């Protein structure tokens, strides 16, 4: 075993899988840029305080942060998520509202690594700051839905809930606390601790011991003010009008103190229940304010790339894209011809590769086959002398004659002066 390996929960993403990652982000960008979202590129490091503003009720902030003091004595952290950074940026730059942005990148959480759960993982996401309109909630949820469709995923379920206005939520939290405290003996030890920090999070408990108690707990809907009920009804009506199916799940609370009104989660039905959240989000208030900005409505989601690709594998969709080159140049004269031809091909937009170290014809032809190229260009001293090159189709039966007509599928001899044009035509 080599002395150095990736540390736990960290992975190398190698080709061709890496090409799939990039395409994933491309597809996402296409979906959200088509809806007026612009990309924000945030630093990987922020002052620890930026993330602490998310609240101390989540493991993400209390237990899982990679934080350290830098050489300048600043206490900083590797970002565990991007909503806080986007809000910090909003306060710092004060863009016009509504500010519609998207992002992508790696996040870092010191979690117990397992399938679909890593210490470095990637997300794509969007946030909108400065608009409090149920139509926007619908737009955002629909964009996530559309993105999964664009990947080809079918087995995705949308869960929806509303946490009401801050006052509704506060009344509900009190009621939940009273309920769980009255039944403390039945609660798991872990949930007893959670109860002290954030009674809402007890609803998230997946422990069998808590199941009955959680099922019998008061429901948030009993506490909705008129405005909260109207907002939630408008969101549901909007989703229905777009034909997006959803399930209302009153246990979907999301941990942050800032969440209000709409919360949602996309579940991958092929994944294990502990890791089946493909992505989620909701409305939040107060985060911008707590970072020093004006009171500002916010809503967004983050979708996990790693887990979504696992779901794609399960459904057999969104395979790694082909990264094969179009042409492979086999040069038995020493390599200078290959250098000239590959450079000329690349200059006209035809991808091209070659062998190195002046290998034998046989070895170079093997490399050409492995490359996945559609054509090999073969050039030896005879061809150089005659001012020609041999073009041999490697995969397709189809070839193109120098005059542009279809060839018979066997190799052809092409004048060097026509070679680049000839290949360009053949590839297109
Ligand atoms: P969150 O920011 O916790 O709401 O997570 C949003 C999405 O990011 C989740 O639904 C997952 O798809 C993904 N995610 C969160 N934590 C991890 C992790 N440790 N490893 C892989 N994906 C993660």
């Amino acid at each position: 075993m080599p002395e150095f390996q990736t540390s736990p929960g960290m992975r190398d993403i190698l080709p061709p899988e890496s090409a799939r990652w990039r395409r994933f982000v491309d597809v996402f960008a296409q979906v959200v840029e088509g809806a007026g979202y612009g990309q924000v590129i945030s630093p990987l490091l922020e002052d620890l305080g930026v993330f602490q503003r998310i609240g101390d009720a989540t493991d993400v902030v209390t237990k899982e942060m990679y934080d350290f003091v830098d050489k300048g004595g600043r206490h900083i952290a590797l970002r565990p998520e991007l909503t806080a950074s986007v809000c910090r940026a909003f306060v710092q730059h004060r863009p016009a509202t509504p500010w519609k942005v998207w992002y992508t990148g790696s996040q870092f959480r010191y979690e117990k690594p397992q399938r679909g759960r890593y210490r470095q993982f990637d997300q794509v996401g969007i946030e909108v700051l400065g608009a409090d309109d149920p139509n926007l909630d619908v737009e955002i949820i629909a964009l996530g839905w559309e993105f999964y469709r664009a990947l080809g995923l079918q087995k995705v379920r949308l869960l929806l809930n509303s946490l009401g206005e801050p006052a509704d939520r506060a009344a509900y939290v009190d009621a939940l606390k009273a309920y769980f405290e009255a039944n403390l003996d039945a609660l798991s030890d872990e949930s007893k601790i959670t109860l002290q920090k954030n009674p809402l999070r007890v609803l998230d408990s997946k422990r069998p011991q808590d199941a009955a108690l959680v099922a019998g707990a008061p429901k948030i809907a009993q506490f909705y003010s008129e405005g909260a009920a109207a907002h939630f009804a408008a969101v549901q009506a909007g989703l229905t009008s777009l034909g997006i199916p959803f399930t209302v799940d009153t246990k979907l609370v999301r941990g942050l103190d800032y969440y209000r009104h709409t919360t949602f989660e996309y579940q991958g039905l092929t994944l294990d229940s502990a890791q089946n959240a493909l992505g989620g989000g909701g409305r939040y208030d107060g985060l911008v304010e707590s970072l020093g900005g004006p009171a500002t409505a916010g809503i967004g989601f983050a979708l996990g790339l790693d887990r979504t690709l696992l779901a794609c594998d399960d459904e057999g969709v969104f395979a790694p894209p082909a990264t094969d080159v179009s042409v492979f140049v086999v040069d038995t004269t020493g390599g200078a011809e290959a250098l000239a031809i590959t450079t000329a091909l690349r200059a006209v937009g035809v991808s091209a590769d070659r062998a190195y170290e002046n290998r034998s014809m046989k070895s170079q032809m093997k490399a050409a086959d492995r490359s996945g190229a559609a054509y090999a260009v073969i050039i030896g001293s005879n061809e150089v002398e005659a001012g020609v090159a041999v073009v041999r189709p490697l995969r397709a039966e189809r070839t193109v004659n120098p005059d542009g007509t279809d060839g018979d599928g066997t190799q052809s001899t092409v004048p060097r002066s026509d070679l680049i044009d000839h290949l360009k035509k053949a590839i297109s």
Side-chain angles (χ1 to χ4, degrees):
M1 210 192 272
E3 185 182 355
F4 293 113
Q5 305 226 354
T6 46
S7 73
M10 312 257 166
R11 292 157 307 146
D12 296 311
I13 309 299
L14 307 178
E17 180 67 3
S18 50
R20 193 183 185 207
W21 280 46
R22 205 173 59 213
R23 259 214 9 141
F24 185 98
V25 176
D26 286 346
V27 171
F28 185 75
Q30 206 163 22
V31 168
V32 296
E33 288 186 346
Y37 292 72
Q39 186 179 5
V40 169
I41 301 174
S42 305
L44 285 177
L45 299 173
E46 296 268 6
D47 282 342
L48 178 68
V50 171
F51 303 118
Q52 283 173 332
R53 296 295 195 282
I54 298 169
D56 55 10
T58 61
D59 288 351
V60 170
V61 174
T62 51
K63 290 197 219 144
E64 298 167 0
M65 204 112 72
Y66 280 88
D67 63 309
F68 61 99
V69 177
D70 74 6
K71 295 188 203 313
R74 272 175 172 256
H75 199 165
I76 54 186
L78 276 169
R79 65 186 186 205
E81 56 111 65
L82 267 160
T83 307
S85 296
V86 167
C87 290
R88 195 262 314 132
F90 178 81
V91 174
Q92 187 171 340
H93 304 289
R94 296 295 174 93
T97 56
W99 198 42
K100 298 174 71 168
V101 297
W102 72 272
Y103 54 72
T104 181
S106 295
Q107 322 298 334
F108 302 85
R109 298 180 192 173
Y110 195 83
E111 297 203 74
K112 192 162 167 252
Q114 53 199 292
R115 182 179 144 94
R117 193 173 291 280
Y118 311 102
R119 289 181 177 168
Q120 175 173 347
F121 60 95
D122 273 51
Q123 290 183 336
V124 293
I126 54 180
E127 310 286 343
V128 179
L129 294 173
D132 188 5
D133 179 335
N135 280 307
L136 175 58
D137 306 30
V138 175
E139 171 180 303
I140 283 182
I141 296 169
L143 285 172
W145 190 256
E146 198 186 312
F147 172 60
Y148 293 125
R149 285 289 168 273
L151 294 178
L153 285 174
Q154 298 291 330
K155 294 179 182 146
V156 179
R157 182 167 63 173
L158 169 61
L159 299 180
L160 186 70
N161 192 22
S162 167
L163 294 173
E165 300 280 359
D168 311 344
R169 182 191 155 120
Y172 179 51
V173 169
D174 287 345
L176 267 186
K177 204 165 170 204
Y179 168 80
F180 285 123
E181 272 170 359
N183 295 282
L184 208 55
D185 290 346
L187 212 56
S188 68
D189 288 343
E190 292 90 339
S191 289
K192 277 179 196 148
I193 296 167
T194 310
L195 179 61
Q196 292 317 309
K197 287 199 238 161
N198 185 347
L200 281 175
R201 282 310 280 231
V202 179
L203 298 178
D204 273 349
S205 167
K206 300 220 159 80
R207 287 172 208 93
Q209 190 189 334
D210 298 327
L213 211 52
V214 166
K219 302 284 183 285
I220 179 75
Q222 299 156 355
F223 297 83
Y224 289 154
S225 60
E226 216 173 289
H231 189 107
F232 195 29
V235 172
Q236 295 184 57
L239 289 172
T240 303
S241 77
L242 296 183
I244 296 174
F246 59 88
T247 307
V248 173
D249 178 357
T250 56
K251 297 207 303 290
L252 185 70
V253 293
R254 320 256 322 149
L256 313 191
D257 294 346
Y258 298 107
Y259 275 110
R260 62 188 277 265
H261 286 304
T262 314
T263 60
F264 55 96
E265 188 172 289
Y266 307 98
Q267 285 187 346
L269 299 178
T270 61
L271 299 176
D272 231 36
S273 74
Q275 268 90 244
N276 69 355
L278 297 176
R283 250 191 195 286
Y284 48 87
D285 259 4
L287 191 49
V288 168
E289 222 173 336
S290 81
L291 287 161
T296 305
I299 178 167
F301 66 56
L303 316 178
L305 189 151
D306 312 68
R307 232 175 253 182
T308 306
L309 287 180
L310 290 177
C312 288
D313 290 341
D314 289 345
E315 290 202 42
V317 298
F318 200 66
T323 52
D324 300 338
V325 292
S326 299
V327 176
F328 196 97
V329 181
V330 172
D331 171 6
T332 56
T333 71
E337 298 294 330
L339 179 64
I341 295 169
T342 52
T343 304
L345 284 171
R346 293 166 194 159
V348 297
V350 176
S351 58
D353 200 2
R354 55 168 295 180
Y356 304 98
E357 300 177 328
N358 202 20
R359 293 287 161 89
S360 70
M361 168 88 173
K362 193 172 157 206
S363 148
Q364 291 194 47
M365 282 310 298
K366 251 196 211 155
D369 278 331
R370 262 201 317 268
S371 78
Y375 294 93
V377 169
I378 302 161
I379 192 147
S381 44
N382 290 344
E383 282 77 21
V384 170
E385 215 161 282
V388 297
V390 171
V391 175
R392 182 184 295 177
L394 294 176
R395 285 182 300 169
E397 287 304 300
R398 190 176 151 260
T399 52
V400 180
N401 292 322
D403 64 2
T405 56
D406 272 350
D408 61 2
T410 55
Q411 65 183 38
S412 46
T413 301
V414 181
R416 268 298 287 276
S417 53
D418 295 345
L419 180 66
I420 303 303
D421 256 9
H422 173 83
L423 287 165
K424 200 176 165 192
K425 269 192 215 127
I427 296 307
S428 63

